[in-house]
Amino acid sequence: NDSRLSQAALECLKKEGLGAGASRLVCGNMTAHQELEEKLARFKGSQGCLLFSSGYMANVGVISSLFGRDDMIFCDRLNHASIIDGILLSQAQYKRYPHVDMDALDRLLQEAPATGKKCIITDSVFSMDGDLAPLDKIVELAKKYQAIVMIDEAHAFGVFGKHGKGLAEHFGVEKEIEIQMGTLSKAAGCFGAYVCGSRDLITYLINQARSFIYTTAMPPSIAAAAAKAIDIIENDHFTRERLHENARYLRAQLKLMGFNTVISESPIIPLVIGESHRALEFSQRLLRKGIFVSAIRPPTVPEHTARLRLTAMAAHTKDEIDFTLGQIQRIGKELKII
Ligand SMILES: *Cc1c(COP(=O)(O)O)cnc(C)c1O
């Protein structure tokens, strides 16, 4: 809802019109795309950047173009569905390791055949549990076994790190992660996705990633709005700090009430209920009070772990959060969850 973004989009819309018209490689390549890529590469401190029309397409395109039958991918069990689809399309061999279990990952890497590329792929902030991937340890293991690391910063971009570059910045391992993907659809409030990495990686993707080549470029006005979002992310530390403050407060209060919030360390706060119908009932009762919290159910999350997924925002006021907490406590008691 930040009017600075819609203003940037409007100005570009007046100049460039609505659609990009074609794939970047045909005649859809516009100044707004290139400016956004340059800005992202500079912001992320990488040699290059490539835009995709969505995070789903970025993961599918990158993974399927870089890896094949002879390669081995190591994938956290709770990684986003788009990563799984990319792996399936690549036909690479893959092992899913138990969620953030570094001993298990170590063992799997040790057992891996010596031929082919090895790659560890992980969400940096997990979208349904709100916890963090131990990127420092992942980078260490990658060095030990000569594996490539790819991270999906969808929920970390704009949120983690001193400048909001993501969880790699937070852990100080930006230089050690070869493939850094993130979306512009979440904290950046726009649409689309980026992949940052070496110049060679970007050149390769431009020529090989089918979900980049065979699809129409993102509308230029969206790219212009995203460029504005990056300026805000880079300079507005106050809003980021308020976001984390709101999240900390919400988490702490829910824990005090006796809810199971798993091990969330981010603004994504799962409130695990158990059975789907109870999570739905909880969500509907909240909506009647004007509070919109969706119930996330299997197969998006494992059986018997249906949950409310709360997301703290920087724009929430203390009064709004306290009102929400009061309603959650009341309904939690009525439904005998606490
Ligand atoms: C949302 C999300 C995506 C997909 O991004 P879109 O731009 O919505 O296609 C990919 N990975 C993760 C971890 C996400 O949370």
Side-chain angles (χ1 to χ4, degrees):
N1 283 330
D2 192 314
S3 62
R4 290 172 289 182
L5 301 198
S6 32
Q7 202 53 45
L10 269 175
E11 276 164 31
C12 182
L13 195 55
K14 280 187 208 145
K15 275 204 304 238
E16 307 282 359
L18 195 55
S23 160
R24 297 275 298 276
L25 296 185
V26 179
C27 52
N29 190 39
M30 302 171 91
T31 310
H33 301 127
Q34 284 183 262
E35 283 177 353
L36 177 56
E37 284 172 343
E38 280 160 23
K39 182 168 277 206
L40 271 160
R42 183 194 49 71
F43 179 50
K44 297 276 292 175
S46 62
Q47 287 179 355
C49 171
L50 190 65
L51 295 174
F52 283 78
S53 297
S54 75
Y56 183 92
M57 289 165 79
N59 279 335
V60 164
V62 170
I63 299 169
S64 67
S65 64
L66 281 172
F67 305 105
R69 283 179 217 282
D70 297 332
D71 304 320
M72 176 69 87
I73 294 174
F74 302 86
C75 177
D76 189 289
R77 188 166 281 286
L78 295 191
N79 276 351
H80 192 264
S82 54
I83 294 177
I84 307 297
D85 292 0
I87 295 173
L88 293 177
L89 198 59
S90 77
Q91 302 189 18
Q93 304 164 60
Y94 71 99
K95 301 271 188 217
R96 292 172 82 181
Y97 56 91
H99 183 48
V100 300
D101 184 339
M102 292 296 106
D103 292 333
L105 176 58
D106 194 335
R107 274 194 302 279
L108 289 172
L109 280 158
Q110 206 168 352
E111 291 161 5
T115 54
K117 295 190 283 286
K118 292 193 273 275
C119 182
I120 305 166
I121 306 183
T122 185
D123 285 19
S124 61
V125 174
F126 288 88
S127 53
M128 293 302 149
D129 284 30
D131 58 338
L132 313 181
L135 294 183
D136 49 345
K137 302 208 179 72
I138 286 175
V139 161
E140 228 172 80
L141 284 176
K143 271 199 200 126
K144 184 168 161 195
Y145 295 102
Q146 277 110 50
I148 302 163
V149 181
M150 171 172 176
I151 55 173
D152 176 339
E153 298 257 42
H155 287 288
F157 183 69
V159 174
F160 282 94
K162 185 159 179 288
H163 303 92
K165 295 183 214 174
L167 202 65
E169 184 191 18
H170 173 84
F171 276 105
V173 294
E174 293 158 285
K175 294 283 167 248
E176 285 140 296
I177 297 176
E178 290 87 349
I179 311 169
Q180 299 190 31
M181 171 273 180
T183 67
L184 302 167
S185 50
K186 281 147 187 170
C190 299
F191 194 68
Y194 65 83
V195 176
C196 283
S198 69
R199 212 164 278 125
D200 284 348
L201 172 71
I202 301 308
T203 307
Y204 181 85
L205 293 176
I206 290 171
N207 289 283
Q208 296 290 334
R210 294 168 68 85
S211 63
F212 171 80
I213 300 169
Y214 297 107
T215 196
T216 300
M218 75 166 60
S221 56
I222 298 292
K228 189 66 184 175
I230 291 158
D231 290 341
I232 297 170
I233 285 170
E234 193 169 6
N235 297 309
D236 190 352
H237 303 276
F238 176 71
T239 299
R240 186 159 33 252
E241 194 36 53
R242 200 170 46 204
L243 168 65
H244 287 291
E245 256 170 47
N246 283 350
R248 271 192 295 270
Y249 179 66
L250 193 55
R251 259 196 321 263
Q253 296 299 314
L254 289 168
K255 232 173 255 170
L256 278 179
M257 290 176 190
F259 284 106
N260 172 9
T261 58
V262 203
I263 41 168
S264 164
E265 296 177 73
S266 73
I268 298 170
I269 305 168
L271 221 159
V272 178
I273 306 288
E275 297 313 311
S276 294
H277 68 275
R278 290 185 13 114
L280 272 178
E281 172 72 24
F282 206 133
S283 169
Q284 280 156 5
R285 289 196 193 192
L286 279 170
L287 194 56
R288 269 181 240 137
K289 294 292 173 188
I291 302 163
F292 183 30
V293 182
S294 4
I296 309 277
R297 291 156 284 152
T300 303
V301 293
E303 289 293 337
H304 313 299
T305 71
R307 63 198 63 186
L308 299 177
R309 181 176 176 252
L310 288 105
T311 312
M313 293 172 69
H316 288 147
T317 63
K318 175 112 189 330
D319 282 352
E320 286 169 336
I321 297 176
D322 282 333
F323 173 72
T324 300
L325 283 165
Q327 295 302 321
I328 289 177
Q329 186 170 35
R330 177 183 59 78
I331 299 168
K333 281 180 181 159
E334 282 169 13
L335 295 179
K336 300 201 169 28
I337 287 155
I338 49 168

